[in-house]
Amino acid sequence: MLNRTHTVLSLRNFTHPRATLQCYTADTQQVIGGTIIETYSKPRNISCVHYKLNQEESGGLDSLTCTWEHHMNPPVNYAVESVFYKQKEILQCHSKKTTCTLTELFTLRDDNITVTVKATTHHWNVSSEPRTFALHDISKSLPPKDLEVADSAGSLSVKWRRLSPLEPGRCEVKCRKCDHSETGNNTRPYCLLNDEANGSIMINNVDSCTTYGFSVRCVLGKAIWSDWSKEKLHVTKLNKNHVNLRLWRKVSEREENGLRKVRVMWKGIPKDCGGTFDYTIKQTHDSEHMTGGNYTFCGNTTCDVVVNQDAHRINLTVFRNKEVLVVKSVYVPAVGESLPQVTNIQTLSDDKVIKVSWMAPMQPVSGYKIDWTQDGSQYHWKESEYTNVTLSGLQEKKPYNITVTPLFDDKTGQGTKVLHVCSSFGDPDSIAITVVPSYRQAFVSWNTKSQKECSGAVQSYTVNYYKTQDVLYLNVTVDGKMRNVSLKDLSPDTQYTVNVDARALTGISKSSDEKFTTTKFDPGLVTPLSVAGSVIIFLVLFLGLCIAVQWKKFQEKPVPNPALSSVGVWASQSQQKGICFQPFRNPSESHCDTVYPEKAQSTSTPSLVTGYDTNTASEYIVDYANSGMTLGLYTEDESPVEPAKTPPSPGESTALISSDSSTANPYRSQSSGESPVPETEKLSKHVPVKQQEKALLKTIYVTLDMIEQDHKR
């Protein structure tokens, strides 16, 4: 023990490959710790392969390769010891890897061998368990050589150098057809050959002008299969009976001149065939069949011809080395011809592949032709006997126009088109949003703008919004058919940021952020207030207009001129009988509008009204000494009464009434010599006058301002 916590244990002469170390307490023998000690392990899983360097002889120089498993970190040196029993020979090979090969061995096929692997390091060495093998079980032949392939009456003959006839064996031939069509490379099943086949095999039913690849491997008895020989490629010759010419056409719409363009396409003549091929197109009316018509010399796979609106036959003749190889025709319907067609075409796209299905017509059909194009200039087509087909090898995220046409015995039906079918889909379209804010809510609408030809179909839209200052995200998700949404329960007079996410199965597209601010007041409250304010303003204006009109009328009323007035004293109470006074009335309405003043006592008093005869109009004086009232006199036509220009009567004062000694005061001081009238008497009396005088009486108006002025005096 080094101290209370550390102990060193040295194990000397330790030869075990593995051990378990446990530590106990001294008094109670309780296990307090332990570990596993691994020093080395033995090599295991030894396997050996015996290679026959010369397969045509029963003996000869061979090689032996052995492999094993051994997981050790330090460098290890290996020694493989092989013991041949019949030969009584021990051979060794050395290696630093887990494989080792003994070469230049002279072995017997029926001999046995025992193999032991020894591993050595600076500190230890260990040997594996010995493993015994029978040479005929571990022998592996070399791949066959001199592989030859030849055509023979529509078949292929494959030959190779076989094993020694002294030893039984069998071989396998692998046939691979190099087909570069839509289906990809095909591999035929293995062709088995026994030892009686003399190292050759015949392969029948091969295609013309097609490249095939062949390789062979062999095995001796129950030994190990040899490796495959190097592949031998061979192109088959053209067999006239095997030529399967497939012909199709694509008819365009009728032009203004009544002609139609027909693109003729064909398959079935492989490019690998030798010789010279020529192609001739002959177009005839359907009623003429093969007689007459025009000839057109074309290229290798397509040809364009022009026909009118009638039904036609397009005949293709293929020449090989100037000899007719095959003839094929296709029908072109007339314009407006009623023909059967397929219905209910369905498509499904996924990863550059389009699956097409349809419903067959009522009439029996012999097959279907399916053509498709991406740009309208280059067409692809294929045949099918079923009501479905798979189109592969398409361009990514491109729309295709697909046409399905039923085939009958000697004619074709009407083609049914389906347009803009995408081979695959990308992210959804880009989004442009518009926001109309209001009080505590906002109306958000958006439009999608196509950014690709095949954008993914939108499944849903998510509207994300948050307060600019808080960055607290909220969202609303709507169906993919919706294009607007109302955001409610917002804060008034607050700025928000909004964006829209379009979600599809292929991805997500996000719009740019849009900022908006809600209004401070509710528009529903602003409108009534505006209406009420407008009504109040209208009433104020109307009231002001009325006041202005009344004020104008007031200003336009005639005002008596005090300078032209006369003043008299009301009659005594005994004389006021019959006198009425109601100011500012129409004289024609009542007799009380007329004032009948008391007749003057003095006969020498001149007339108060000029321009009237004193014999017909008496003078009238009103006594106001006791009442203090000043009276203004007006005529019936509201013109002031002109006072007499005669000297004043006895007792009348002509001094001007002036409180400020001004010479501009128009009032005169008038007094009467009559005795004052008691204040208790009535203010008006009716004075009897002559009948002729009553008819000529003038209306007298009294102005309060004159009365007040005289009262002050």
Side-chain angles (χ1 to χ4, degrees), residues 96-111:
K96 293 185 178 181
K97 299 180 180 179
T98 58
T99 180
C100 190
T101 301
L102 294 171
T103 58
E104 298 182 356
L105 299 178
F106 184 84
T107 61
L108 299 175
R109 179 167 177 74
D110 57 351
D111 201 353

PDB file of all heavy atoms in Angstrom, residues 96-111:
ATOM      1  N   LYS A  96       2.587  -9.720 -41.158  1.00  0.00           N
ATOM      2  CA  LYS A  96       2.186  -8.804 -40.106  1.00  0.00           C
ATOM      3  C   LYS A  96       0.702  -8.440 -40.205  1.00  0.00           C
ATOM      4  O   LYS A  96       0.212  -7.607 -39.443  1.00  0.00           O
ATOM      5  CB  LYS A  96       3.033  -7.532 -40.153  1.00  0.00           C
ATOM      6  CG  LYS A  96       4.495  -7.765 -39.796  1.00  0.00           C
ATOM      7  CD  LYS A  96       5.279  -6.462 -39.738  1.00  0.00           C
ATOM      8  CE  LYS A  96       6.734  -6.720 -39.338  1.00  0.00           C
ATOM      9  NZ  LYS A  96       7.498  -5.463 -39.247  1.00  0.00           N
ATOM     10  N   LYS A  97       0.001  -9.061 -41.162  1.00  0.00           N
ATOM     11  CA  LYS A  97      -1.435  -8.872 -41.323  1.00  0.00           C
ATOM     12  C   LYS A  97      -2.139 -10.190 -41.022  1.00  0.00           C
ATOM     13  O   LYS A  97      -1.491 -11.217 -40.818  1.00  0.00           O
ATOM     14  CB  LYS A  97      -1.764  -8.406 -42.739  1.00  0.00           C
ATOM     15  CG  LYS A  97      -1.126  -7.065 -43.096  1.00  0.00           C
ATOM     16  CD  LYS A  97      -1.484  -6.664 -44.520  1.00  0.00           C
ATOM     17  CE  LYS A  97      -0.857  -5.327 -44.892  1.00  0.00           C
ATOM     18  NZ  LYS A  97      -1.184  -4.930 -46.281  1.00  0.00           N
ATOM     19  N   THR A  98      -3.438 -10.151 -41.051  1.00  0.00           N
ATOM     20  CA  THR A  98      -4.209 -11.356 -40.737  1.00  0.00           C
ATOM     21  C   THR A  98      -4.477 -12.184 -41.986  1.00  0.00           C
ATOM     22  O   THR A  98      -5.551 -12.796 -42.118  1.00  0.00           O
ATOM     23  CB  THR A  98      -5.533 -10.962 -40.070  1.00  0.00           C
ATOM     24  OG1 THR A  98      -6.251 -10.088 -40.950  1.00  0.00           O
ATOM     25  CG2 THR A  98      -5.298 -10.286 -38.734  1.00  0.00           C
ATOM     26  N   THR A  99      -3.551 -12.205 -42.910  1.00  0.00           N
ATOM     27  CA  THR A  99      -3.630 -13.063 -44.088  1.00  0.00           C
ATOM     28  C   THR A  99      -2.216 -13.422 -44.528  1.00  0.00           C
ATOM     29  O   THR A  99      -1.272 -12.631 -44.350  1.00  0.00           O
ATOM     30  CB  THR A  99      -4.391 -12.380 -45.247  1.00  0.00           C
ATOM     31  OG1 THR A  99      -4.441 -13.264 -46.369  1.00  0.00           O
ATOM     32  CG2 THR A  99      -3.706 -11.088 -45.646  1.00  0.00           C
ATOM     33  N   CYS A 100      -2.115 -14.622 -45.106  1.00  0.00           N
ATOM     34  CA  CYS A 100      -0.793 -15.082 -45.534  1.00  0.00           C
ATOM     35  C   CYS A 100      -0.973 -16.088 -46.663  1.00  0.00           C
ATOM     36  O   CYS A 100      -1.946 -16.870 -46.663  1.00  0.00           O
ATOM     37  CB  CYS A 100      -0.042 -15.714 -44.369  1.00  0.00           C
ATOM     38  SG  CYS A 100       1.710 -16.058 -44.729  1.00  0.00           S
ATOM     39  N   THR A 101      -0.068 -16.080 -47.682  1.00  0.00           N
ATOM     40  CA  THR A 101      -0.194 -16.948 -48.858  1.00  0.00           C
ATOM     41  C   THR A 101       1.081 -17.773 -49.031  1.00  0.00           C
ATOM     42  O   THR A 101       2.193 -17.220 -49.035  1.00  0.00           O
ATOM     43  CB  THR A 101      -0.448 -16.118 -50.124  1.00  0.00           C
ATOM     44  OG1 THR A 101      -1.654 -15.367 -49.947  1.00  0.00           O
ATOM     45  CG2 THR A 101      -0.582 -17.014 -51.341  1.00  0.00           C
ATOM     46  N   LEU A 102       0.879 -19.071 -49.195  1.00  0.00           N
ATOM     47  CA  LEU A 102       1.975 -19.982 -49.553  1.00  0.00           C
ATOM     48  C   LEU A 102       1.912 -20.227 -51.045  1.00  0.00           C
ATOM     49  O   LEU A 102       0.860 -20.588 -51.590  1.00  0.00           O
ATOM     50  CB  LEU A 102       1.834 -21.293 -48.797  1.00  0.00           C
ATOM     51  CG  LEU A 102       2.002 -21.235 -47.269  1.00  0.00           C
ATOM     52  CD1 LEU A 102       1.614 -22.572 -46.649  1.00  0.00           C
ATOM     53  CD2 LEU A 102       3.436 -20.889 -46.915  1.00  0.00           C
ATOM     54  N   THR A 103       2.983 -20.034 -51.755  1.00  0.00           N
ATOM     55  CA  THR A 103       3.010 -20.170 -53.210  1.00  0.00           C
ATOM     56  C   THR A 103       3.921 -21.338 -53.610  1.00  0.00           C
ATOM     57  O   THR A 103       4.690 -21.863 -52.805  1.00  0.00           O
ATOM     58  CB  THR A 103       3.506 -18.860 -53.849  1.00  0.00           C
ATOM     59  OG1 THR A 103       4.808 -18.558 -53.338  1.00  0.00           O
ATOM     60  CG2 THR A 103       2.550 -17.710 -53.521  1.00  0.00           C
ATOM     61  N   GLU A 104       3.804 -21.679 -54.900  1.00  0.00           N
ATOM     62  CA  GLU A 104       4.616 -22.730 -55.516  1.00  0.00           C
ATOM     63  C   GLU A 104       4.511 -24.024 -54.714  1.00  0.00           C
ATOM     64  O   GLU A 104       5.506 -24.627 -54.320  1.00  0.00           O
ATOM     65  CB  GLU A 104       6.068 -22.280 -55.658  1.00  0.00           C
ATOM     66  CG  GLU A 104       6.225 -21.074 -56.567  1.00  0.00           C
ATOM     67  CD  GLU A 104       7.684 -20.681 -56.736  1.00  0.00           C
ATOM     68  OE1 GLU A 104       8.534 -21.321 -56.066  1.00  0.00           O
ATOM     69  OE2 GLU A 104       7.967 -19.762 -57.523  1.00  0.00           O
ATOM     70  N   LEU A 105       3.272 -24.398 -54.485  1.00  0.00           N
ATOM     71  CA  LEU A 105       3.026 -25.655 -53.781  1.00  0.00           C
ATOM     72  C   LEU A 105       2.759 -26.764 -54.785  1.00  0.00           C
ATOM     73  O   LEU A 105       2.066 -26.558 -55.790  1.00  0.00           O
ATOM     74  CB  LEU A 105       1.834 -25.518 -52.836  1.00  0.00           C
ATOM     75  CG  LEU A 105       1.952 -24.466 -51.720  1.00  0.00           C
ATOM     76  CD1 LEU A 105       0.660 -24.431 -50.917  1.00  0.00           C
ATOM     77  CD2 LEU A 105       3.135 -24.773 -50.828  1.00  0.00           C
ATOM     78  N   PHE A 106       3.277 -27.891 -54.494  1.00  0.00           N
ATOM     79  CA  PHE A 106       2.963 -29.086 -55.279  1.00  0.00           C
ATOM     80  C   PHE A 106       2.072 -29.961 -54.410  1.00  0.00           C
ATOM     81  O   PHE A 106       2.509 -30.531 -53.418  1.00  0.00           O
ATOM     82  CB  PHE A 106       4.237 -29.841 -55.676  1.00  0.00           C
ATOM     83  CG  PHE A 106       3.957 -31.004 -56.562  1.00  0.00           C
ATOM     84  CD1 PHE A 106       3.811 -30.834 -57.926  1.00  0.00           C
ATOM     85  CD2 PHE A 106       3.843 -32.286 -56.020  1.00  0.00           C
ATOM     86  CE1 PHE A 106       3.560 -31.916 -58.744  1.00  0.00           C
ATOM     87  CE2 PHE A 106       3.577 -33.364 -56.848  1.00  0.00           C
ATOM     88  CZ  PHE A 106       3.429 -33.187 -58.216  1.00  0.00           C
ATOM     89  N   THR A 107       0.814 -29.985 -54.762  1.00  0.00           N
ATOM     90  CA  THR A 107      -0.156 -30.658 -53.910  1.00  0.00           C
ATOM     91  C   THR A 107      -0.871 -31.756 -54.668  1.00  0.00           C
ATOM     92  O   THR A 107      -0.875 -31.806 -55.902  1.00  0.00           O
ATOM     93  CB  THR A 107      -1.195 -29.646 -53.391  1.00  0.00           C
ATOM     94  OG1 THR A 107      -1.890 -29.085 -54.509  1.00  0.00           O
ATOM     95  CG2 THR A 107      -0.530 -28.549 -52.577  1.00  0.00           C
ATOM     96  N   LEU A 108      -1.466 -32.618 -53.903  1.00  0.00           N
ATOM     97  CA  LEU A 108      -2.338 -33.664 -54.422  1.00  0.00           C
ATOM     98  C   LEU A 108      -3.774 -33.320 -54.039  1.00  0.00           C
ATOM     99  O   LEU A 108      -4.044 -32.844 -52.938  1.00  0.00           O
ATOM    100  CB  LEU A 108      -1.940 -35.018 -53.850  1.00  0.00           C
ATOM    101  CG  LEU A 108      -0.513 -35.487 -54.169  1.00  0.00           C
ATOM    102  CD1 LEU A 108      -0.213 -36.786 -53.445  1.00  0.00           C
ATOM    103  CD2 LEU A 108      -0.342 -35.649 -55.668  1.00  0.00           C
ATOM    104  N   ARG A 109      -4.707 -33.570 -54.959  1.00  0.00           N
ATOM    105  CA  ARG A 109      -6.082 -33.132 -54.736  1.00  0.00           C
ATOM    106  C   ARG A 109      -6.714 -33.820 -53.523  1.00  0.00           C
ATOM    107  O   ARG A 109      -7.510 -33.216 -52.822  1.00  0.00           O
ATOM    108  CB  ARG A 109      -6.913 -33.393 -55.993  1.00  0.00           C
ATOM    109  CG  ARG A 109      -8.383 -32.978 -55.795  1.00  0.00           C
ATOM    110  CD  ARG A 109      -9.125 -32.944 -57.093  1.00  0.00           C
ATOM    111  NE  ARG A 109     -10.529 -32.627 -56.894  1.00  0.00           N
ATOM    112  CZ  ARG A 109     -11.040 -31.468 -56.603  1.00  0.00           C
ATOM    113  NH1 ARG A 109     -10.214 -30.442 -56.435  1.00  0.00           N
ATOM    114  NH2 ARG A 109     -12.325 -31.285 -56.448  1.00  0.00           N
ATOM    115  N   ASP A 110      -6.349 -35.079 -53.276  1.00  0.00           N
ATOM    116  CA  ASP A 110      -6.979 -35.816 -52.178  1.00  0.00           C
ATOM    117  C   ASP A 110      -6.201 -35.703 -50.882  1.00  0.00           C
ATOM    118  O   ASP A 110      -6.440 -36.445 -49.936  1.00  0.00           O
ATOM    119  CB  ASP A 110      -7.138 -37.281 -52.542  1.00  0.00           C
ATOM    120  CG  ASP A 110      -5.801 -37.920 -52.910  1.00  0.00           C
ATOM    121  OD1 ASP A 110      -4.815 -37.160 -53.041  1.00  0.00           O
ATOM    122  OD2 ASP A 110      -5.769 -39.140 -53.071  1.00  0.00           O
ATOM    123  N   ASP A 111      -5.283 -34.751 -50.797  1.00  0.00           N
ATOM    124  CA  ASP A 111      -4.488 -34.591 -49.592  1.00  0.00           C
ATOM    125  C   ASP A 111      -5.248 -33.731 -48.587  1.00  0.00           C
ATOM    126  O   ASP A 111      -6.171 -32.992 -48.931  1.00  0.00           O
ATOM    127  CB  ASP A 111      -3.151 -33.941 -49.932  1.00  0.00           C
ATOM    128  CG  ASP A 111      -2.104 -34.207 -48.852  1.00  0.00           C
ATOM    129  OD1 ASP A 111      -2.477 -34.777 -47.811  1.00  0.00           O
ATOM    130  OD2 ASP A 111      -0.940 -33.808 -49.063  1.00  0.00           O
TER     131      ASP A 111
END
